[in-house]
Every structure is written in C-alpha cells, then in structure tokens.
Amino acid sequence: MSSLIALLWFSLLTGCLATASTYPESEFDLRARDPDTDLTTPELIAKYGYPVESHTVQTEDGYILTLHRIPYGKKSSSRTNRPPVLVQHGLLSSSVDWIVMGPEKGLGYILADAGYDVWLGNARGNTWSKKHITLSPSQSKFWQFSWHEMGVYDLPAVIDYILERTGEEKLFYIGHSMGTTMFYVMASEKPEYNNKIRAMFSLAPVAYMSHAGTPFLKALAFAGDQIGWFTNLMGLNEFLPHTELLTIMGQMLCRDEAITQDICNNVFFLINGGYNSKELDSAMIPVILGHTPAGAATKNFLHYAQSIKTKKFRQYNYGWLKNLAVYGSTTPPKYDMSKITAPIALMYGMNDDLGAPGDVATLNKELPNVISYYKVADEQFGHLDFLWAIHGKSLLYNEILNLMAKY
C-alpha cells in the first residue's frame, strides 16, 4: 500500500520533470527551501524562543516513546500552577504537527502561552517512537499493533509518566483523529484512567465510521479481510515512513512557484480526510512535508478499514479462528462507550471525510459525559484544518481555551 502512494508521488515527479525544460530553472531549484523543513521538533521549538524538553517513556509491552515538552510559554513564563495537557497527534503524524505552523498558529505554542504545561505525544511506530527493548523495526513482529495497543499501552504509560513528573493528579487531553480513537480505547478498556482526566478535547473524532472514509480507506474496506493476509505475506508492515525523498519532492512540487502545486495538494491529502483550500497556507506545504508523513503501522489502516466495513467500533478482527484464541469468540468485542466517563468535548468540521458529522453525532449519543458538541463555524473546515488552518485560533483553539478554563 505504501507503494501505491509512492507511485502517485513518482508519477507526479516524472510528469513535472518531463515539462521542466519549458519553465525557468529556478522553479526546480531545491536550494531555497525553508530552513524549518530540516529542523526537528525540539529544534523548531527552541528556534522560536520556547523552552523544550525531550522525555522517553517505556510501555508495558516494551515500546519506547518520545515526548516533547514545552513547560512554559513566552507570554506566560510562570513556572508554577501550570496544569499539564497531553496533546496527541493522529494517523501518520507526530508531535511536530502542533508546532510546525509557528507561534501564532501552532496549538502547542498557544497552549504554552495560555499558561499550560504542554506535552506533545508520539505514538509507537512514528518517526520519534521507533524503538523497543527487544524488537527492531526491521522485524515484522515490531509492527503488529494498531490504535488498540496505543490506547491500552501507550496512553496509560504516558499519562502516568506526566502525572508523576508534574506531581498532578489529573491532566487535560487533546487528541486529533487517531489521537481521539486511542483515548476512547483507553477510557473504555482501562476505565480507571477516566479519573486522571480533567477534560478531553476530541478534534475531528474518529470512532464510529458509518459515514466516514477517504477513498483510500474505503478501497481497503472493499478489499475485505484478505487484504490483511496479503500485507502480512508481502511484509508490508510500515506505512509511509518519512524519507528525504518525500521532503525533496514536497519542496520541488508543492511550493508556491510550482506548476504542480494543486495536484500535489490533492495527492498529499488523498488519505487524510480533506481540507479547506482557503484555510491552507500553501506556502507551508513544503515545510509540512519535511516532517509529515511520520509513518505508522499498516495495521492501523486495516483496523480503520474494518470499522468502515462493519460500521462498528470494536477490536481488531483477526478472522474467526484467531478471534477464538484471542477473544474467546468468533467476532471481536465492541468497545463499551458507557465506561468513558471523563468530560469530553466533541469538536468537528462539516467537510471532514474521517471524523464525519454523522458519526460524531453517534458519539454524542453514546458518550455519557459530553460537555461540548462544537461544530466549527466554517462549513468547509476539513480533517487537517484542525492542525494547520490559517484561522485555527479564532475558529477552534480559542473555544478549547475557554472550556479548559472551566475545568
């Protein structure tokens, strides 16, 4: 499957190079790329004058995760009475997504300046969390996880670490896309963790998927359960890890001067649930592609595809024989949403192919403690606008800050 996306990029690249002779040489000059393209998450945070720390957390099943922390901001530099907030990225993403747009637009900076102790998570398998105490990413066994394991192992380990480190009893949680799915898994499978959450903010929530699905995920769902067998057979364990080639292609094909920018945008957002072109600063796409995609286990996509096919929010379907061994039944169990008692704000966009409004409405009915059911005012607000919208602060982030102040 990663070869599919690679093929799309390659086709775009070859088409661009084929016509390069008719355009100024400077249009394909890679030397002028934005320096932020090549900086790591900690380097970006430090560049813009914010304090930054890196922490490692080991999960119960041996994965080693990296956390990036902004302990205080520039506009609010007090180091006491700063409530911790864990901000968790979505699929194919990383901690950088919350700061790549810069201090005035990145939620990580905005939270720090508003007086919060900001912890940016990195789920297993992405650029920053590719280590295990015994396994190597070159081994297939390393990649045998989906967002279920992230919810059962990653989030509890990270939450416990943050609370121990800060001496607090509770924290705020902000998740985007898969970051919300992980939370719903944790709070239903390990309900004791509901008591460690002051309030949870679901940005582009993804659980039920009766109305959701990008063309890519719908194709996986249509392929059925045999696609999992095929990917295992072919050793397709990791999906779209970040490479320098993607950075170069993003710089060449997606910057403002590039004749292929519009096509590039569509390819980039093919599997990511849509965006509002008016809210996307196209000049930032090469910088974003310097960091994103950050890689993920193929099993994450297969698990979502199962949700689309079955229209149920439940654990991974291994097939009836293995299901019997793992679950004691031929079908995987559903997640019990009634156990999710933490205060939850559901925040959705009308132009979101993954966190579809109809599915968010189902969540609103299922969750027992919804404190806000917030539709972003811009009717064209899409899945990735929750991260990178030009007016994200006025459309969304200010609402989050207002709610946080009440808890």
Side-chain angles (χ1 to χ4, degrees):
M1 288 179 292
S2 56
S3 60
L4 170 63
I5 305 300
L7 178 60
L8 288 170
W9 277 110
F10 180 73
S11 300
L12 184 59
L13 175 62
T14 53
C16 180
L17 293 180
T19 57
S21 60
T22 63
Y23 292 87
E25 181 178 350
S26 61
E27 185 159 333
F28 297 93
D29 184 3
L30 300 179
R31 291 171 293 180
R33 74 197 219 177
D34 191 309
D36 285 6
T37 303
D38 301 306
L39 297 179
T40 65
T41 303
E43 288 170 344
L44 277 171
I45 295 170
K47 173 183 175 178
Y48 289 100
Y50 287 78
V52 60
E53 300 171 4
S54 294
H55 298 255
T56 57
V57 178
Q58 183 177 312
T59 68
E60 184 182 337
D61 59 344
Y63 286 83
I64 300 173
L65 315 175
T66 298
L67 288 170
H68 293 125
R69 182 189 190 188
I70 309 176
Y72 54 91
K74 291 196 297 184
K75 297 179 182 178
S76 176
S77 59
S78 170
R79 303 189 188 189
T80 59
N81 299 320
R82 300 181 62 82
V85 52
L86 171 58
V87 191
Q88 183 60 48
H89 63 78
L91 192 58
L92 290 175
S93 298
S94 72
S95 56
V96 77
D97 287 354
W98 305 107
I99 53 98
V100 72
M101 298 302 290
E104 299 304 318
K105 296 177 182 177
L107 180 58
Y109 297 122
I110 291 170
L111 289 167
D113 283 334
Y116 293 95
D117 179 2
V118 183
W119 297 76
L120 308 176
N122 285 289
R124 63 178 66 191
N126 83 351
T127 303
W128 290 98
S129 297
K130 265 188 182 174
K131 294 181 179 180
H132 189 276
I133 56 174
T134 59
L135 300 174
S136 164
S138 63
Q139 298 174 277
S140 177
K141 190 175 181 181
F142 178 94
W143 297 101
Q144 299 311 304
F145 59 81
S146 77
W147 34 262
H148 174 82
E149 284 74 19
M150 297 175 188
V152 171
Y153 297 114
D154 291 14
L155 287 189
V158 168
I159 289 171
D160 287 342
Y161 179 89
I162 294 172
L163 294 181
E164 181 180 0
R165 184 83 181 189
T166 60
E168 298 285 337
E169 294 183 357
K170 296 185 177 185
L171 53 72
F172 288 104
Y173 183 96
I174 301 174
H176 173 250
S177 188
M178 187 184 72
T180 71
T181 316
M182 294 162 60
F183 183 90
Y184 304 142
V185 171
M186 178 196 73
S188 59
E189 293 293 298
K190 293 194 169 186
E192 64 272 20
Y193 277 85
N194 284 284
N195 294 326
K196 300 184 180 184
I197 306 299
R198 294 178 68 161
M200 185 272 187
F201 298 84
S202 289
L203 313 188
V206 180
Y208 299 105
M209 301 186 75
S210 297
H211 303 85
T214 62
F216 176 73
L217 284 175
K218 287 180 178 178
L220 287 183
F222 179 79
D225 297 336
Q226 59 267 33
I227 192 70
W229 172 85
F230 176 76
T231 57
N232 287 333
L233 179 67
M234 299 299 293
L236 301 176
N237 300 304
E238 182 180 10
F239 187 92
L240 213 59
H242 190 74
T243 65
E244 177 62 16
L245 176 61
L246 284 175
T247 300
I248 292 173
M249 292 171 75
Q251 178 68 24
M252 178 181 289
L253 307 178
C254 303
R255 58 185 177 147
D256 279 343
E257 300 87 354
I259 59 174
T260 52
Q261 189 185 68
D262 287 342
I263 304 172
C264 166
N265 293 358
N266 290 328
V267 171
F268 175 57
F269 293 100
L270 176 66
I271 61 175
N272 285 292
Y275 68 103
N276 179 0
S277 59
K278 293 180 181 179
E279 283 296 323
L280 177 68
D281 183 352
S282 57
M284 289 299 297
I285 293 179
V287 179
I288 292 170
L289 287 175
H291 305 276
T292 303
T298 299
K299 193 173 175 182
N300 286 309
F301 291 87
L302 300 179
H303 202 169
Y304 277 132
Q306 290 178 0
S307 298
I308 293 172
K309 182 178 180 180
T310 64
K311 303 185 186 304
K312 296 177 181 178
F313 185 43
R314 64 184 190 179
Q315 295 190 37
Y316 193 84
N317 184 10
Y318 294 99
W320 70 269
L321 189 59
K322 187 172 180 180
N323 285 344
L324 275 173
V326 175
Y327 306 124
S329 66
T330 57
T331 57
K334 298 178 183 178
Y335 296 108
D336 187 351
M337 306 300 273
S338 69
K339 293 182 178 179
I340 305 177
T341 58
I344 292 181
L346 298 174
M347 317 188 99
Y348 66 98
M350 293 301 292
N351 187 34
D352 191 340
D353 292 334
L354 283 177
D359 295 321
V360 181
T362 302
L363 263 176
N364 186 44
K365 294 176 182 177
E366 291 283 324
L367 293 171
N369 195 10
V370 174
I371 59 173
S372 177
Y373 184 44
Y374 181 80
K375 182 183 81 170
V376 178
D378 186 340
E379 293 290 322
Q380 296 303 309
F381 209 78
H383 199 68
L384 293 179
D385 294 322
F386 286 86
L387 299 173
W388 303 321
I390 294 171
H391 299 101
K393 190 172 189 295
S394 59
L395 287 169
L396 176 66
Y397 299 157
N398 285 342
E399 179 67 14
I400 295 174
L401 292 175
N402 290 338
L403 285 169
M404 291 175 76
K406 298 177 181 179
Y407 286 86

